[in-house]
Amino acid sequence: MPVLPSLASRCLRPLLTLGLLAAAIPVCADEARIDALLARMALEDKIGQMTLVERSSLRPGDITRYRIGGVLNGAGDAPEPNSAASWRAMTAAFQQEALATPLAIPLLHGVDAVHGHGHLKDATVFPHNIALGAADDVELTEAVARATAEEMLATGLWWNFAPALSIPRDARWGRVYEAFGEDTELVARHGAAWLRGAQRLRPDDQAGEGQQLLSLGTAKHFIGDGATAWGSSTTGDFQIDRGDMRDDEATLRRIDLPPYRAAIEAGALSVMASFSSWQGVPLHGHRYLLTDVLKGELGFKGFVVSDWGGIDAVRPGDYRGAVVTAVNAGVDMVMVPADYPQFTSTLLQAVRDGAVSEARIDDAVRRILRAKLALGLQQQALPSTDWQASIRSPQHLNLARQVVQRSLVLLQNREQTLPLAQNLPLLRVAGPGADDIGLQSGGWTLEWQGQPGNHTAGATILDGVRALAGNATTVEYSASGEFTATTRADACISVLAEAPYAEGVGDRADISLNPEEIALLQRMQAQCARHVVLLLAGRPRLISAQLGLADAWVMGWLPGSEGAAVADVLFGVVPFSGRLPVSWPRSAGQLPLNLHNSSGKTGCDAPLFPLGHGLRAGQQWLATGECR
Ligand code: BGC
């Protein structure tokens, strides 16, 4: 029998003071029980709890042997075949190994379900967070997080490495789309809503004591991951991702810290450290920020998890030094991710040598056990089949469609080109992104970097256009924009999609349209009475010089598997309502450009479209004259 106590009848005192949310998320744990458990744990058990291993590195039996506390499926790592049943079999087998340890402490098994459970084939893939910021409806965000948690539960996973609370400053960064936006207040609101949705109570526990979290979110990446300077990254050919943040402390506190405060108030019990550094000191070894500020000042009672191999960079070439510095700085669980024998033996020796105190180890384990207790894993650690019907359920698909509809931003709309009429005789659609679920979903979809192609279930933009164009309309599609007929079309939709990317692989010096995209726009403009451009991208792109090539411009973000819902808005079934959650640069010379460095700028120095821009029906945007 598992030794972790059931809290069902004895939730002695609220662990977190959740203010107004106390009634909604009563996270309780019995600290005395954790004390009792800690007293029974050998140092090896404790160090095992602090170890988070990528599942493909695990040798059979080693979870039991090393008392491993956490497992993750890294980006792009899914069981074969990629079905809910295999995910369940995989998570169950790992959990059985954990339950076979003398203290039977269940595992935390994590995954990056950052826009739906995107690594499960045929799951509901929601738009990325930037689209949630554009829709700016916290109830929608909460519902997306809840739906994602349900699809994760259907595969035996309780721990999500989401949401990102990044405040991106530079459109060239490869992780802009993982953020809700660049406005601190907006990110704080949506981060908290996301956590409320993911961590809501299980329905069967809605009243009384013993309430448990539905799943565990992770506020990441603490702190300033979006604030690093271009060219400051030393990872491979990354430029900005994992780089150095040079802001002063007042700026860090004003812009980047508030979302973490809000996340803790909303019940966050897991925070991931950032790969980046602050003024040259890696966050993974930053005791002041991790321990004094996060755990001390903000009162964070959960655990700090390191990012993928993130501690290694704390002291390059000196693994022991890196482990000692990171754990002493406040890292509680280490995403090793592969060489767990080396990690566990290094930390064990460091404790024996007195380089890391037992008190620090006990504190780290206490924090991890709190999260496990809050999840109620001691009652049910093995996957249940209860949630199976939630995968791609009609409710989740409907929710995904709503987010797509609400997130589209109308950038320009000359002569009321949009909405399109449903009875146009000839409509042409162009661009590879118009008919490709991979392109419309972006990174973190089946693969870390995402991939073009229809590898998971969904409906493309072209599907949506075909469904709504009307019976009398001929819809022609060509990826290249070359059509055999010479007839002029009544309207054209050109879809320009960024090739998928994730993290620093997506750092781009040049975010302007490429020559093929420009040629496509020219070709389409020449053969259409009305030309609409739909941008599918994780960030703003430089379009000033091309604005005249179309009548209407729409920012579609990365709409996910239900991209067909874009058509609902293009045809006016649902009105445009999204607003930019980031400033849209006018030129490369302005970068980095954001709310925080552009206030007061006017004319050609101002953003092309400011934060909050988003036209409504009948509105047209008036351009600043010629800018060089
Ligand atoms: C990313 C994290 C992610 C982790 C696990 C890292 O590369 O920075 O955001 O949670 O991988 O997949």
Side-chain angles (χ1 to χ4, degrees):
M1 278 298 286
V3 171
L4 271 187
S6 162
L7 298 178
S9 58
R10 35 182 310 137
C11 191
L12 295 181
R13 60 178 181 266
L15 191 83
L16 302 173
T17 308
L18 297 173
L20 287 177
L21 294 168
I25 310 177
V27 178
C28 302
D30 186 336
E31 297 291 298
R33 294 251 167 173
I34 296 178
D35 285 339
L37 190 55
L38 276 170
R40 297 182 60 189
M41 292 172 81
L43 185 56
E44 287 80 357
D45 292 306
K46 295 176 184 172
I47 286 174
Q49 284 301 304
M50 295 171 67
T51 308
L52 176 58
V53 184
E54 211 289 324
R55 69 109 198 185
S56 52
S57 317
L58 277 167
R59 286 183 302 266
D62 273 3
I63 292 179
T64 316
R65 194 169 307 122
Y66 287 84
R67 322 278 204 248
I68 300 292
V71 169
L72 79 146
N73 274 67
D77 179 14
E80 280 289 332
N82 189 344
S83 65
S86 347
W87 281 85
R88 270 198 305 278
M90 172 192 72
T91 48
F94 289 143
Q95 203 59 266
Q96 298 282 18
E97 280 200 39
L99 297 176
T101 55
L103 294 174
I105 301 175
L107 276 178
L108 276 177
H109 191 142
V111 72
D112 290 274
V114 300
H115 62 146
H117 192 356
H119 285 92
L120 168 67
K121 185 169 156 34
D122 300 340
T124 311
V125 180
F126 292 97
H128 274 288
N129 285 351
I130 189 111
L132 290 170
D136 195 11
D137 177 339
V138 288
E139 282 176 21
L140 216 48
T141 297
E142 196 173 325
V144 167
R146 163 88 188 189
T148 302
E150 289 176 358
E151 298 201 20
M152 283 172 53
L153 291 172
T155 58
L157 292 160
W158 278 266
W159 186 19
N160 196 349
F161 303 130
L165 301 182
S166 326
I167 313 273
R169 317 286 213 275
D170 192 329
R172 294 171 294 184
W173 186 34
R175 305 195 82 156
V176 169
Y177 65 79
E178 293 184 61
F180 295 107
E182 67 184 19
D183 176 17
T184 298
E185 188 273 332
L186 177 132
V187 173
R189 264 190 299 117
H190 285 273
W194 204 103
L195 285 159
R196 283 199 301 274
Q199 301 198 164
R200 260 175 55 176
L201 304 175
R202 297 187 187 183
D204 50 339
D205 284 321
Q206 258 161 14
E209 300 174 57
Q211 294 168 325
Q212 284 141 6
L213 305 184
L214 181 73
S215 73
L216 186 68
T218 305
K220 72 183 190 183
H221 308 82
F222 188 81
I223 183 175
D225 54 347
T228 58
W230 178 262
S232 68
S233 183
T234 52
T235 304
D237 52 10
F238 294 6
Q239 293 294 328
I240 188 165
D241 189 43
R242 310 188 184 185
D244 189 36
M245 161 179 57
R246 287 153 188 178
D247 291 339
D248 62 15
E249 185 166 346
T251 308
L252 177 97
R253 284 178 174 276
R254 182 170 51 85
I255 299 178
D256 301 283
L257 196 60
Y260 287 94
R261 198 184 290 280
I264 291 166
E265 280 170 14
L269 284 175
S270 156
V271 167
M272 189 184 291
S274 176
F275 276 131
S276 55
S277 48
W278 181 38
Q279 299 176 345
V281 180
L283 259 297
H284 279 79
H286 213 298
R287 190 187 172 114
Y288 172 65
L289 289 174
L290 294 181
T291 297
D292 299 351
V293 175
L294 178 66
K295 294 178 179 175
E297 202 179 310
L298 266 52
F300 175 57
K301 296 284 187 278
F303 65 98
V304 172
V305 58
S306 61
D307 203 340
W308 183 272
I311 64 164
D312 303 23
V314 168
R315 285 178 181 271
D318 170 11
Y319 190 65
R320 179 189 148 100
V323 169
V324 168
T325 308
V327 172
N328 283 337
V331 170
D332 301 306
M333 187 187 259
V334 172
M335 195 189 295
V336 178
D339 195 349
Y340 50 93
Q342 184 197 24
F343 169 71
T344 49
S345 62
T346 305
L347 184 53
L348 196 64
Q349 197 53 48
V351 179
R352 287 190 177 135
D353 296 347
V356 175
S357 69
E358 287 202 37
R360 173 73 270 274
I361 299 291
D362 283 355
D363 173 55
V365 176
R366 174 183 299 281
R367 289 167 177 276
I368 294 163
L369 293 178
R370 267 182 198 142
K372 291 186 175 184
L373 286 167
L375 275 167
L377 289 180
Q378 73 284 4
Q379 286 156 358
Q380 194 195 336
L382 293 171
S384 100
T385 47
D386 291 359
W387 301 95
Q388 263 183 104
S390 74
I391 297 172
R392 257 189 106 61
S393 68
Q395 292 86 337
H396 290 182
L397 296 185
N398 192 33
L399 177 64
R401 291 182 68 91
Q402 267 187 59
V403 182
V404 175
Q405 293 163 349
R406 301 277 301 279
S407 64
L408 296 189
V409 178
L410 183 56
L411 300 172
Q412 169 61 310
N413 191 20
R414 280 205 298 256
E415 295 171 39
Q416 303 201 32
T417 296
L418 289 172
L420 295 170
Q422 280 174 297
N423 55 359
L424 296 169
L426 178 59
L427 182 63
R428 287 198 176 123
V429 181
D435 197 22
D436 190 308
I437 291 164
L439 290 179
Q440 73 195 28
S441 298
W444 302 101
T445 315
L446 295 180
E447 298 292 337
W448 178 39
Q449 295 296 316
Q451 57 183 333
N454 297 332
H455 303 290
T456 195
T460 69
I461 289 154
L462 184 62
D463 293 335
V465 170
R466 288 217 162 103
L468 279 183
N471 292 340
T473 304
T474 302
V475 177
E476 294 181 348
Y477 171 62
S478 154
S480 66
E482 283 156 321
F483 294 87
T484 41
T486 51
T487 342
R488 200 170 161 78
D490 301 282
C492 291
I493 303 169
S494 299
V495 183
L496 302 185
E498 278 189 313
Y501 55 81
E503 300 192 40
V505 181
D507 288 353
R508 295 272 180 279
D510 185 2
I511 53 168
S512 48
L513 302 187
N514 63 43
E516 295 80 53
E517 290 173 317
I518 296 171
L520 179 86
L521 295 188
Q522 287 165 337
R523 212 172 291 139
M524 295 301 281
Q525 190 201 23
Q527 52 175 307
C528 301
R530 287 268 179 247
H531 187 195
V532 176
V533 179
L534 172 70
L535 293 167
L536 299 184
R539 55 177 146 218
R541 302 189 63 196
L542 298 177
I543 55 172
S544 306
Q546 288 80 40
L547 274 176
L549 291 176
D551 304 292
W553 288 76
V554 176
M555 183 50 167
W557 312 108
L558 295 165
S561 60
E562 307 320 303
V566 166
D568 301 345
V569 189
L570 297 183
F571 286 100
V573 177
V574 177
F576 278 98
S577 61
R579 294 194 185 277
L580 290 180
V582 286
S583 309
W584 195 294
R586 182 185 299 279
S587 65
Q590 286 182 322
L591 299 171
L593 177 95
N594 54 65
L595 162 72
H596 312 287
N597 68 8
S598 70
S599 71
K601 290 191 175 160
T602 54
C604 291
D605 291 333
L608 178 63
F609 304 114
L611 180 81
H613 174 78
L615 301 176
R616 300 295 179 260
Q619 289 181 324
Q620 165 163 328
W621 168 76
L622 298 173
T624 306
E626 285 279 295
C627 291
R628 283 170 178 272

